[in-house]
Amino acid sequence: MPSAFRRGPNSRRTICFRSDAAFFALAWLLAGLLLSAVPAHAADEPWRVAVAETGWPPFEYLDHRGEWSGLTSDYLRLIAQRQGRELETVVVPDWDAVLEAVETGDADVAGSFARVEGRAEALNYTESYVDNPVVLVTRRDTEDLRRLEDLAGRSLAVECGHALDQLIPDAHPQIDLQRFADAETALRAVATGEVEAWAGSLLVMAWVAERHGLANLQVRGPLPFATGSLRFVTGPEDAALRDTLDRELEAMDDRTHAELRRPWMADAVTAWGTGRLVELTDEERAWLGEHGAIRYAATPDWPPFDDLGPEGQHRGISADFLRHVAERTGLVFEHVPVESWSEAVRLFRDGEVDLLTSVQQTPERDEFMDFTRPYLEIPLALVTTVDGPSVGSLSDLAGRRVAVLADSGMLADLRREQPDAEIVERPSTDAVLRAVADGDAEVALDNLLVVAGPVRARYAGLLEVASTVEGADERLRLAVQPGEERLREILDRGLDSVTPAEAAAIQQRWTTITIEEDIDWGRALRLAALVAGVALVILAIVLYFNRRLRRAYADLEAAQAQLVESEKMAALGSLVAGVAHEINTPLGVAMTTDSQLKSDLDTLQRRYTAGEMTRSDLERLLERAREGHDIVAWNLERAAGLVRDFKQVAVDRQRDERREFELRGFVDEVLHGLSPRLSRAGIEVANAIPEGVILDSWPGSLSQILTNLLINVEEHACPEGCRVWLRGRVQDNDWVEIECADEGQGMDAATRARVFEPFFTSRRSQGGSGLGLHIVWNQVTGRLGGSVRVESEPGQGARFILRLPRRGGPATN
């Protein structure tokens, strides 16, 4: 962890004595040895812990109550509890002062330190209690910075006192190093473009970015420094305390470590998809520096594995696996576009590309390709017309015309397993299916995930998946040039770093696209019906006003109330859809992981029955089962948390009863429900409301107000995305001021003057009702008994400022 380097131990005085005083010297030596076995502090005294005021979350920091908190704190508190000790924090200004306090005896112990050569060598270090990889982080749009070598002459942020503060200048003096007081300030500088990159702890970065809305940051890969193992340190003369800590750490089982780490680490790792970073050897890093970018080719039309986006970029399951490998290993991949799979194979044979994606290993390909381990195993499927032949295995294809993708691994397998089949080669999956639809072939053979979508979307009622081929799963690998063993080994370790949960999430992301398209059509029809209904209502109102002018105001007021209620329900519907989408992901991951565990158990049972089970098989199953259990448990916890948050917000909106609630936590619940919609729109919301502000008010009304303000930002202020800040402060102890500020396009004076009027909207032609901000004004001034104002200028964003009583308001409206 952060700390200044110390160039050596404290100087010590050499004591000499005369031979005629040998007896007394020997007695003195024995007494010293006896005393050294006793801790410098009495058994009933608390352990004094040196804590830096600057903090380093999630490992350790001072919370809003000034209490020491974090992962390191939880570890030491558990150890102290087992030893029957109390902890006493000694707060010092920074991390240099932490080491000095331990070294001089002003504190007994400190945590979160990496053991690095030259740093406070006189101190005693425990064994590591957590691994903390260091990574390079840039903005998402900075694609050319992936290694420290890319930063020559460019700016890099580090934290003052971090070990990297000295390691990086020694190894890369050409980098313009910018030092910041803490990780939050440094990462904000990267997010805003003040500096180009940041080097530091992966978990610290994930923690800060998640809690401060820094969504435009990207982990580029691990750094080649051995500073990841965090330890406790004790004073130069207190090896006994160090040994006590080591014994307690060694006695902790895996379950205890997992329980201590989960609150501080699981959230960040899940959110950022960081998994396990790959540590490279010096020789491997040198090879990467010499080799440069890895040129690769992929099939241009084989979704969901490989496909081309609107701008020709590679996308799909294999592209996501490559992205994970790049982030964990530091490899840089360069996509070489091709027109077909056959062209990709030709470029590979000619040495114009280094790598191919989504390749099935065959004896024929072994002659000119080396392969990584498989990263996906997908069944092969047989596709026929709805009234076509009954086929269930490769043996049923004898004498039949079978359409297969040219130059594919399936083609080689089919020729080897069923030489009597009449093979119809086609250049793409769509051409393979079209051959069956047009009668040029009786059966199509292809990957199940590849054909499932087109069969349902484009050939519904004409083609069907007749069956999958038992025992003929397609194992997809990466293919490298023969002799490139170092590249293959790095790729294998990169693929191993992808956790089962991440692999399941990747597969789920690309195999649900067609379902989402179907849902979108239904949503479009409902939206059209809603628009038509609103148009009819407006027409009826106009006709009614023409006939009954005297009742115009009363009818308008009634229509307004009805539309306001509809607007509320529409917002709640959006919240329901967002939460349902969010819950689908952890449940999908849990179900996929459970399916994988069942598959592993079936495999082990077969080997046990056949007498082929080895000790390594059992150990591997236990390891995967433990990991799978943690994944399932964590994702179910996440889904349950979403349900709790949504239930609270939904109940508040439906019942809208007055109650006490903590403002920041309540706002977090509202933001959680809106996050899917806001994320898709590119809206980043930072909740900067201080903790501990208690309101006795109507949470349902406040939820509606915040929802409408944020939707107004999405639809009007920032149609292409921007940042929003929610701030709050207590005024005179009886009032609270809440500010919603965006960096959008702002408003002119005419718009600003009418923004709270009912039915005033700048998006009438796009279906805007003009009631969103009127509801805000109505609820704030009526239900909550407060006031609201807006400050805005064209091109300078807008600030909506709410002033609410902390102890309720008039229960009107």
Side-chain angles (χ1 to χ4, degrees):
M1 154 57 223
S3 168
F5 277 67
R6 307 296 176 118
R7 290 301 182 182
N10 295 336
S11 59
R12 310 225 178 159
R13 291 176 295 174
T14 303
I15 301 176
C16 301
F17 50 89
R18 301 168 59 91
S19 59
D20 55 1
F23 175 79
F24 298 102
L26 181 60
W28 175 86
L29 179 61
L30 290 174
L33 291 173
L34 289 173
L35 289 174
S36 68
V38 180
H41 35 79
D44 57 349
E45 291 182 354
W47 287 338
R48 296 165 301 165
V49 188
V51 178
E53 191 173 4
T54 52
W56 201 49
F59 296 102
E60 54 178 298
Y61 62 97
L62 298 176
D63 63 18
H64 66 282
R65 297 182 299 273
E67 296 181 359
W68 186 43
S69 185
L71 176 61
T72 295
S73 166
D74 286 356
Y75 264 98
L76 194 56
R77 290 186 194 281
L78 178 60
I79 293 174
Q81 179 183 358
R82 291 179 173 182
Q83 288 288 314
R85 293 297 192 102
E86 298 292 332
L87 296 181
E88 176 184 310
T89 55
V90 180
V91 180
V92 295
D94 52 39
W95 292 96
D96 289 342
V98 169
L99 276 184
E100 184 177 353
V102 177
E103 196 168 16
T104 59
D106 293 334
D108 303 313
V109 62
S112 306
F113 282 92
R115 186 167 191 168
V116 181
E117 183 179 355
R119 171 193 287 179
E121 293 176 345
L123 298 179
N124 290 295
Y125 290 78
T126 68
E127 294 299 319
S128 169
Y129 58 90
V130 67
D131 287 330
N132 168 41
V134 290
V135 294
L136 183 68
V137 175
T138 71
R139 292 183 300 283
R140 291 187 181 274
D141 58 357
T142 310
E143 292 290 339
D144 59 331
L145 298 181
R146 294 185 174 274
R147 296 172 295 175
L148 290 177
E149 289 79 1
D150 300 330
L151 281 159
R154 304 171 78 169
S155 56
L156 176 68
V158 296
E159 300 149 62
C160 291
H162 197 291
L164 297 177
D165 192 357
Q166 181 158 337
L167 290 172
I168 290 178
D170 289 347
H172 301 275
Q174 72 278 18
I175 292 178
D176 177 18
L177 206 64
Q178 302 288 320
R179 295 171 173 84
F180 292 82
D182 53 46
E184 179 186 344
T185 309
L187 287 166
R188 283 191 185 278
V190 177
T192 59
E194 182 181 343
V195 293
E196 296 183 83
W198 174 82
S201 161
L202 166 67
L203 294 171
V204 171
M205 173 267 175
W207 180 274
V208 171
E210 283 296 306
R211 279 151 185 79
H212 296 282
L214 305 181
N216 64 335
L217 299 179
Q218 176 69 48
V219 177
R220 294 300 178 189
L223 293 179
F225 299 111
T227 60
S229 297
L230 298 188
R231 309 164 188 266
F232 293 104
V233 294
T234 65
E237 307 299 333
D238 204 352
L241 177 56
R242 186 270 316 276
D243 294 341
T244 298
L245 297 175
D246 270 337
R247 285 194 298 271
E248 289 291 347
L249 290 172
E250 186 178 0
M252 292 183 187
D253 56 20
D254 291 342
R255 182 186 182 91
T256 302
H257 283 290
E259 290 174 351
L260 287 169
R261 294 170 182 173
R262 183 176 293 114
W264 306 104
M265 297 172 63
D267 235 352
V269 171
T270 299
W272 288 86
T274 44
R276 300 181 288 263
L277 296 181
V278 174
E279 293 289 340
L280 301 181
T281 65
D282 292 338
E283 292 78 10
E284 289 170 337
R285 284 193 292 270
W287 182 88
L288 286 179
E290 295 171 359
H291 193 282
I294 307 299
R295 300 163 302 164
Y296 77 95
T299 309
D301 53 359
W302 205 49
F305 300 101
D306 297 286
D307 195 6
L308 296 182
E311 299 178 2
Q313 74 275 22
H314 180 214
R315 64 182 185 180
I317 292 176
S318 295
D320 281 3
F321 271 96
L322 280 186
R323 178 175 57 82
H324 280 293
V325 171
E327 290 174 357
R328 280 78 185 279
T329 64
L331 286 170
V332 178
F333 295 104
E334 177 185 335
H335 178 227
V336 178
V338 294
E339 295 294 330
S340 65
W341 171 244
S342 297
E343 182 185 356
V345 174
R346 181 184 61 78
L347 291 179
F348 185 86
R349 283 180 175 273
D350 295 342
E352 296 182 34
V353 295
D354 307 303
L355 179 123
L356 295 176
T357 64
S358 307
V359 188
Q360 186 176 8
Q361 186 175 8
T362 65
E364 294 81 6
R365 290 175 175 173
D366 284 336
E367 297 178 3
F368 65 100
M369 295 180 181
D370 276 351
F371 295 92
T372 66
R373 71 160 184 82
Y375 56 92
L376 274 178
E377 296 186 22
I378 308 296
L380 293 179
L382 297 173
V383 179
T384 67
T385 57
V386 174
D387 55 355
S390 175
V391 289
S393 65
L394 294 182
S395 61
D396 296 330
L397 303 181
R400 297 190 182 276
R401 289 170 289 127
V402 184
V404 186
L405 188 65
D407 290 324
S408 66
M410 295 169 285
L411 176 59
D413 287 344
L414 180 61
R415 283 174 171 163
R416 185 169 50 254
E417 297 293 330
Q418 193 50 262
D420 294 333
E422 182 182 343
I423 296 175
V424 179
E425 296 187 45
R426 290 292 186 266
S428 66
T429 294
D430 188 65
V432 167
L433 295 175
R434 194 163 56 248
V436 179
D438 294 343
D440 297 334
E442 299 173 83
V443 183
L445 176 66
D446 209 327
N447 185 291
L448 174 63
L449 292 185
V450 173
V451 299
V455 165
R456 181 175 56 181
R458 294 196 293 273
Y459 296 96
L462 180 60
L463 300 183
E464 66 178 6
V465 177
S467 68
T468 58
V469 182
E470 185 176 355
D473 291 355
E474 186 169 31
R475 298 186 173 188
L476 300 184
R477 309 168 187 259
L478 301 176
V480 301
Q481 294 288 351
E484 291 289 356
E485 294 183 2
R486 181 155 285 157
L487 174 59
R488 179 175 53 78
E489 291 173 358
I490 295 174
L491 290 170
D492 270 334
R493 285 155 58 198
L495 292 171
D496 286 339
S497 75
V498 180
T499 65
E502 290 171 331
I506 290 172
Q507 183 172 331
Q508 184 182 36
R509 174 190 176 193
W510 292 102
T511 55
T512 56
I513 292 177
T514 55
I515 297 174
E516 292 171 358
E517 288 175 351
D518 292 342
I519 293 174
D520 287 345
W521 278 110
R523 183 179 178 185
L525 291 174
R526 290 193 300 272
L527 182 60
L530 177 62
V531 171
V534 171
L536 290 174
V537 169
I538 294 174
L539 178 60
I541 290 174
V542 171
L543 294 175
Y544 185 70
F545 277 10
N546 288 335
R547 294 182 335 188
R548 303 288 301 272
L549 186 60
R550 291 181 180 180
R551 298 183 57 186
Y553 181 77
D555 288 344
L556 179 61
E557 192 175 47
Q560 175 187 344
Q562 182 179 0
L563 286 175
V564 165
E565 191 62 30
S566 298
E567 194 87 1
K568 290 182 180 181
M569 295 307 296
L572 184 59
S574 176
L575 180 63
V576 171
V579 172
H581 176 79
E582 287 291 293
I583 291 176
N584 182 56
T585 299
L587 290 183
V589 171
M591 292 174 65
T592 304
T593 304
D594 179 69
S595 176
Q596 183 62 50
L597 287 175
K598 182 180 183 302
S599 175
D600 291 342
L601 286 170
D602 291 343
T603 300
L604 189 69
Q605 185 175 9
R606 286 197 301 270
R607 292 184 179 179
Y608 174 77
T609 303
E612 299 173 352
M613 187 181 73
T614 65
R615 181 185 181 88
S616 62
D617 289 336
L618 181 59
E619 291 174 347
R620 185 161 52 251
L621 173 66
L622 291 174
E623 180 182 355
R624 291 173 66 90
R626 185 181 298 109
E627 184 180 38
H629 169 269
D630 290 343
I631 292 169
V632 172
W634 169 242
N635 279 279
L636 291 179
E637 280 184 20
R638 183 179 171 195
L642 285 166
V643 171
R644 285 195 301 270
D645 288 347
F646 169 70
K647 180 181 177 182
Q648 184 61 60
V649 174
V651 169
D652 282 338
R653 287 198 184 178
Q654 183 179 4
R655 297 170 59 189
D656 200 13
E657 296 178 350
R658 177 171 169 172
R659 66 178 176 88
E660 282 195 355
F661 56 93
E662 198 268 337
L663 181 59
R664 179 183 173 91
F666 175 79
V667 172
D668 280 335
E669 293 173 0
V670 175
L671 293 178
H672 205 169
L674 289 171
S675 61
R677 175 172 180 169
L678 296 177
S679 296
R680 287 193 297 272
I683 305 296
E684 304 170 15
V685 183
N687 183 3
I689 296 174
E691 295 181 349
V693 178
I694 305 298
L695 297 187
D696 180 7
S697 188
W698 284 266
S701 295
L702 183 55
S703 171
Q704 185 67 49
I705 290 166
L706 294 173
T707 298
N708 284 19
L709 288 175
L710 292 172
I711 291 176
N712 184 71
V713 172
E714 174 201 348
E715 295 181 347
H716 296 274
C718 305
E720 297 180 359
C722 69
R723 287 177 294 181
V724 180
W725 292 268
L726 294 176
R727 305 184 180 96
R729 56 181 175 272
V730 176
Q731 293 184 327
D732 303 327
N733 205 39
D734 293 325
W735 294 82
V736 61
E737 189 172 276
I738 303 173
E739 175 183 322
C740 177
D742 64 71
E743 56 180 13
Q745 57 194 18
M747 293 177 273
D748 57 25
T751 302
R752 195 169 60 246
R754 302 187 60 193
V755 73
F756 295 116
E757 291 182 11
F759 306 106
F760 174 76
T761 177
S762 59
R763 299 178 67 251
R764 184 79 63 195
S765 62
Q766 302 173 41
S769 66
L771 289 172
L773 292 181
H774 177 64
I775 291 174
V776 171
W777 178 86
N778 196 321
Q779 294 290 313
V780 170
T781 60
R783 182 73 164 172
L784 301 185
S787 62
V788 56
R789 71 182 192 275
V790 60
E791 298 175 359
S792 181
E793 294 294 337
Q796 299 183 18
R799 295 171 64 237
F800 289 85
I801 302 164
L802 318 177
R803 191 170 186 268
L804 307 174
R806 295 185 65 186
R807 293 290 178 258
T812 60
N813 273 9

